[in-house]
Amino acid sequence: MADVVVVGSGPNGLAAAVTLAAAGLSVEVFEAQDTAGGGSRTAELTLPGFRHDVCAGAHPMAAASPFFRAFDLPAHGVELLTPEASYAHPLDGGRGAVAWRDLERTVAGLGLDGKAWRRLFGPLVRDWPGVVDVAMGDLRGIPDDLGAATRFGLRLLEQGSPLWNIRFREDAAPALLSGVATHAITSPRALPAVGAGLLLGTLAHAEGWVIPRGGSQAIPDALIAELESLGGTVHTGHRVDSLDEFGGARAILLDLAPAGLLRIAGDRLPQRYAKRLGKFRYGGAACKVDFALSGPVPWAAEGCDRAGTLHLVGSRAEAMAAEGAVASGRHADRPYVLAIQPGVVDPTRAPEGKHTFYTYAHVPNGSDIDISEVVIDQVERFAPGFRDLILAKNVCTAAEMPTHNANYVGGDISAGAMTLLQTAFRPAPRWNPYATPLPGVYLCSSATPPGPGVHGMCGLHAAHRVLRREFDIHTEPLDLVRDSKIRSR
């Protein structure tokens, strides 16, 4: 048996595996699905030749998180393509707002609120690595860059309070901000959503929201190649049903939701901890609809055709209403729909002249309703003629999400509700949120800090604890990853 076993091959599990293998440990990864990658897989979901990302499609953190900055995806053969516009937010009447990679270009397009947008994001963009380090930490230590932490924190408190509209005089800029905050599948004024919005908005004007050429699968493939070069092994099609399988391992890291830990640990867990995991809340969910299109989406608003990602919900008030409906267990008449059009930078995703188009709509947890017609109506609202371009579609309801990723309990792609308490204390109130009461057993999924996203930081933080506590290795884990990259060259 290897020194370390990792269960689950999402970006966090693979980040942990690479970090530990770089320290000279033998590592084996076990994945239940036939293809490794978790939420970063790519497949032909509609028609032959149309390559769709199974979950994550655009990656603000792929070039920006501390782990991926150390790993250096381009050095491992991943071509990260950067759209001119990171995200766009169409409004009724053919209007819209665009978050261009160029902050000043964004400011110029926001009318009377342009200067307010610059004051909000300018200081964060100038020190974006500090902002990332604050947001991507384990939420347990003092940030290295207190200046960045202060600037981020003040804006967080403002936008998460009744003062959230005080900066703005028109409707486009607040809608643009609410759209990116609603990635968290909760009220765009909730502090965790505001934090996500400020981080993602900062990266939109810094590194950009990159899209891997050929699909998100390129990211786990690069991590697996590095792991294998370090002597590690990945086993796919292997569902783990009990921790008893790994009695000889010195450490076990679980890229699993709390429900997964409860399933494979059985009655080993102390009753108090098991009870806490049983109370872990799963949040709003997603119904994913993929489309094969005969041509590009005919957006009415200028600039939307250049954005890799779009937020389709309308005004800030509509975003609040849509998320309020989901939180109360209802389907919104006009739901929040996140859309990704990789063809703006990556022509390899579809046959020549054709396009892939990926959407998900926020729905109540566990919903088994196919809302693809509602999604089509919402796209058509901002892109008249969209319906006529559809060659095929593929629908994955929230209830079906766990069949391709067990961590998406009830379709919750965040692996846990993004409440303030549960963001800070995922998955249970503990100083070391990665360690479980079982000796040598750790969690490293998005159900631990800093939470969801393709950033690898949950895996890195868990690996850091494992190295110190189980193997008495005190080398900084990011240094191990950097050194591994140099050796692999």
Side-chain angles (χ1 to χ4, degrees), residues 132-188:
V132 169
D133 289 347
V134 169
M136 290 288 101
D138 62 7
L139 308 183
R140 298 296 185 275
I142 298 173
D144 292 334
D145 190 336
L146 292 178
T150 300
R151 288 186 287 274
F152 185 81
L154 290 174
R155 287 160 174 77
L156 177 68
L157 293 175
E158 175 200 299
Q159 290 298 311
S161 78
L163 298 175
W164 75 330
N165 274 320
I166 198 170
R167 286 181 184 264
F168 303 119
R169 299 169 62 185
E170 299 182 317
D171 63 344
L176 189 65
L177 183 55
S178 290
V180 69
T182 309
H183 276 238
I185 319 186
T186 188
S187 166

Side-chain angles (χ1 to χ4, degrees), residues 452-467:
V454 180
H455 46 64
M457 292 303 294
C458 305
L460 182 82
H461 292 313
H464 192 188
R465 268 72 171 185
V466 169
L467 287 170

Side-chain angles (χ1 to χ4, degrees), residues 246-266:
F246 311 121
R250 293 177 60 185
I252 303 171
L253 287 86
L254 307 175
D255 187 2
L256 302 176
L261 171 57
L262 287 169
R263 179 181 65 82
I264 68 173

Side-chain angles (χ1 to χ4, degrees), residues 37-284:
S40 295
R41 287 170 292 157
T42 303
E44 293 183 341
L45 300 177
T46 52
L47 295 173
F50 290 83
R51 291 178 58 76
H52 301 266
D53 293 317
V54 174
C55 184
H59 299 281
M61 299 302 299
S65 84
F67 172 77
F68 280 123
R69 296 207 306 268
F71 183 76
D72 192 350
L73 285 166
H76 287 84
V78 181
E79 187 176 356
L80 299 176
L81 307 172
T82 309
E84 257 186 286
S86 295
Y87 62 96
H89 194 112
L91 297 166
D92 291 319
R95 300 181 305 121
V98 180
W100 301 98
R101 170 89 179 273
D102 182 344
L103 175 61
E104 289 307 312
R105 187 177 180 183
T106 306
V107 167
L110 290 176
L112 295 177
D113 286 333
K115 291 182 180 179
W117 192 267
R118 183 194 292 120
R119 287 192 295 270
L120 180 66
F121 280 106
L124 302 180
V125 173
R126 285 192 292 272
D127 189 20
W128 69 263
V131 171
V132 169
D133 289 347
V134 169
M136 290 288 101
D138 62 7
L139 308 183
R140 298 296 185 275
I142 298 173
D144 292 334
D145 190 336
L146 292 178
T150 300
R151 288 186 287 274
F152 185 81
L154 290 174
R155 287 160 174 77
L156 177 68
L157 293 175
E158 175 200 299
Q159 290 298 311
S161 78
L163 298 175
W164 75 330
N165 274 320
I166 198 170
R167 286 181 184 264
F168 303 119
R169 299 169 62 185
E170 299 182 317
D171 63 344
L176 189 65
L177 183 55
S178 290
V180 69
T182 309
H183 276 238
I185 319 186
T186 188
S187 166
R189 209 177 85 180
L191 285 174
V194 173
L198 290 174
L199 173 64
L200 297 177
T202 297
L203 294 176
H205 304 305
E207 293 294 278
W209 289 16
V210 298
I211 293 175
R213 182 180 292 278
S216 296
Q217 187 72 53
I219 294 175
D221 285 352
L223 291 167
I224 291 168
E226 177 67 5
L227 175 63
E228 291 176 343
S229 76
L230 295 167
T233 306
V234 178
H235 307 275
T236 56
H238 185 123
R239 175 185 163 95
V240 175
D241 291 314
S242 173
L243 291 175
D244 293 338
E245 290 187 41
F246 311 121
R250 293 177 60 185
I252 303 171
L253 287 86
L254 307 175
D255 187 2
L256 302 176
L261 171 57
L262 287 169
R263 179 181 65 82
I264 68 173
D267 57 4
R268 286 188 178 191
L269 290 172
Q271 185 175 6
R272 184 177 179 184
Y273 183 76
K275 187 175 180 180
R276 284 177 175 172
L277 293 187
K279 291 182 176 179
F280 185 80
R281 286 181 54 197
Y282 297 94

